[in-house]
Amino acid sequence: MTNERMPAASKVLSGSLILLLSNVTMLLLTFIAQRMILSTLTKDANGVLFSERRFVDLVVIMIVDFGINGIIIRRMVQHPETASVTLSSSIALRLALWLSASFICIAVAGFTPYSVLDVGLWCCYLMLSSRVGLLRYSIELPWRHRMRFGLVSIVNIAETVFFAMLIYFWRAKLSPTIVIAAFVISAIPGFLLLLTADRGKTISPRYISMKEIRQLVLEGLPLLATVVLISFHDKFDALLLGWFSPQRESGIFGAVYVSLVPIIGTVPVALTMAITPVIAQFAKKNWSECQKFTMTGLRFLMATTIVGSTLLSSLIPLFIELVSKGKYSDNRGHFFTYIWVAIPMVFVVYTQEINVVLSQQRKNLPIAGTLAIITLIVGVILIPSQHAMGAVITKIVSVCFAFMVAAKSLYTVMKQSIDTSFLAGVLASTLVGILCASYFPSIMSMWWSALASVSGVVISLLVTRLLKITDVRLWMNIIQARNA
């Protein structure tokens, strides 16, 4: 490894580990809270909670996200002298967009069965929370882009602890409104703490520039269609369930979604957030190293996701018991099937982030279009008849199609020919994982079947060279260099 790559890889490793550990801690605490929520609320009440949240998510995230997270990172890395102006202006822009989106949500809620109070509270949560990536993401960026994740991680963990405590104290009277209120209250201290910790150094009204806001809007406009389409893909299945299925079915899909999505996103988010600033730096000064980092990170990410999905699939009965006290034990098929959306989804999300960081955001439009179109077609066909399972299958089919489009996009941006052996390795290892996780539990105990399934997948990863012995040596060298 070159002298230039070693410190960069070291930063990625340390940043990924910090974010991964904090995300895992938050995940465990969230499980405790979700266990109380899912075991207390009826499936109908959980359906109401899920439907209200997805409705607000669709409108607010679609408008406020604006696709500028990657643009902000790139401008801060490549123009550090104006980082304060970029950050403060992005926050001002998002506040204005959030006010507009919240007004729309509350107005629409007044003419629907949705609770106006619930909708208004969830609009506030989306602005305050670190889990969504809107306003709070911009406030955390001064630490994130310098690869200093300690304070951010501590604040996020404390927020999750506070949320779990509120759910515990209110567990006897939980309702959709109480759950949403707990989300909002738990997010406020961390939001205020990060603002205070900055002390106006990088985030302040005096740094707001209309010129910078216009620049962000101009760069973000090509991404707006992408954001709209992706939001449509992510939320439309829930809306279809609300229109054509009993609330119980929305509750089942909601339980699957809120339980699995945090797990599916833990490792990908940690690695992607740690590696994108480094890729942005290399893209500016060393294209060859940029290519190597991008593709090595992708290979490691896919291997990790396949192993994780296999392990989780093998432990589904235990997982459902832990997260819902067994209330959703009769929905094992929904949970098992949804887990495997992780493999194509991780590839798609990683590709989109790389495209934005490398100023190739227009290439995300075909990916987003594929997600939206397939979701619409398959969802309309399956969800009215298959209900929650139809929504799960819709998600998988749409993301698999997007995976194929994303693969072409990523290799085009990297200026490389499509690596068919890599893609075949992903497919083969995924099939091995599905077969092992489906077959072994029928002939041996859960824990032995999990061990056998993971062993089978690791062998498949080594055979297909999706996981290489050199990867282990690489990370060992990085750790030794850091210790030295």
Side-chain angles (χ1 to χ4, degrees), residues 104-401:
I104 293 172
C105 288
I106 293 171
V108 172
F111 298 94
T112 67
Y114 297 134
S115 165
V116 173
L117 176 60
D118 291 357
V119 167
L121 286 173
W122 195 250
C123 287
C124 294
Y125 174 75
L126 293 182
M127 180 188 73
L128 299 172
S129 173
S130 62
R131 305 181 189 184
V132 186
L134 298 181
L135 184 61
R136 176 76 166 266
Y137 183 84
S138 296
I139 293 174
E140 293 177 352
L141 269 179
W143 290 274
R144 291 186 181 277
H145 100 281
R146 292 195 297 266
M147 310 297 287
R148 295 168 58 187
F149 299 105
L151 177 62
V152 172
S153 298
I154 291 172
V155 170
N156 291 341
I157 291 172
E159 178 180 308
T160 310
V161 171
F162 192 18
F163 173 71
M165 290 174 59
L166 288 173
I167 293 298
Y168 175 77
F169 287 126
W170 291 339
R171 64 189 184 281
K173 52 181 179 181
L174 286 181
S175 67
T177 302
I178 294 294
V179 172
I180 292 175
F183 273 111
V184 176
I185 295 171
S186 65
I188 294 173
F191 181 86
L192 296 177
L193 177 61
L194 287 173
L195 275 181
T196 305
D198 182 74
R199 291 179 293 184
K201 293 179 180 178
T202 53
I203 300 171
S204 173
R206 68 179 183 274
Y207 295 132
I208 297 174
S209 165
M210 287 305 300
K211 180 181 178 181
E212 187 72 8
I213 290 176
R214 284 194 295 270
Q215 187 63 36
L216 289 171
V217 171
L218 288 174
E219 292 191 38
L221 278 175
L223 295 174
L224 183 58
T226 300
V227 172
V228 170
L229 291 170
I230 291 176
S231 295
F232 178 87
H233 150 76
D234 190 42
K235 316 297 188 302
F236 189 64
D237 44 18
L239 295 181
L240 282 176
L241 273 174
W243 295 339
F244 296 109
S245 303
Q247 285 290 4
R248 173 186 174 85
E249 294 294 323
S250 293
I252 293 170
F253 184 66
V256 172
Y257 188 92
V258 300
S259 301
L260 291 177
V261 168
I263 299 179
I264 290 172
T266 296
V267 174
V269 167
L271 181 61
T272 301
M273 293 181 72
I275 201 173
T276 46
V278 177
I279 290 175
Q281 292 173 4
F282 276 131
K284 185 178 180 181
K285 58 185 180 181
N286 191 329
W287 178 247
S288 175
E289 297 300 327
C290 176
Q291 290 174 310
K292 292 176 182 177
F293 253 96
T294 301
M295 302 314 295
T296 301
L298 175 63
R299 189 163 47 78
F300 179 76
L301 187 58
M302 296 306 296
T304 304
T305 305
I306 293 171
V307 171
S309 297
T310 302
L311 176 62
L312 186 58
S313 296
S314 303
L315 301 176
I316 274 296
L318 176 63
F319 176 80
I320 295 176
E321 177 63 31
L322 288 175
V323 81
S324 72
K325 290 187 180 179
K327 178 173 283 191
Y328 291 84
S329 295
D330 54 338
N331 303 117
R332 289 184 184 180
H334 298 81
F335 282 84
F336 182 92
T337 307
Y338 196 94
I339 287 170
W340 296 99
V341 78
I343 286 91
M345 185 194 74
V346 163
F347 189 100
V348 169
V349 170
Y350 185 82
T351 299
Q352 290 174 322
E353 292 299 320
I354 296 302
N355 283 345
V356 173
V357 167
L358 299 181
S359 302
Q360 298 292 324
Q361 52 263 33
R362 292 179 183 273
K363 288 185 168 55
N364 284 340
L365 188 57
I367 300 173
T370 301
L371 287 169
I373 292 171
I374 301 300
T375 297
L376 175 62
I377 295 173
V378 179
V380 168
I381 294 173
L382 292 183
I383 290 177
S385 60
Q386 300 298 317
H387 306 305
M389 182 56 80
V392 172
I393 296 173
T394 297
K395 188 73 70 178
I396 290 181
V397 172
S398 63
V399 178
C400 284
F401 273 90

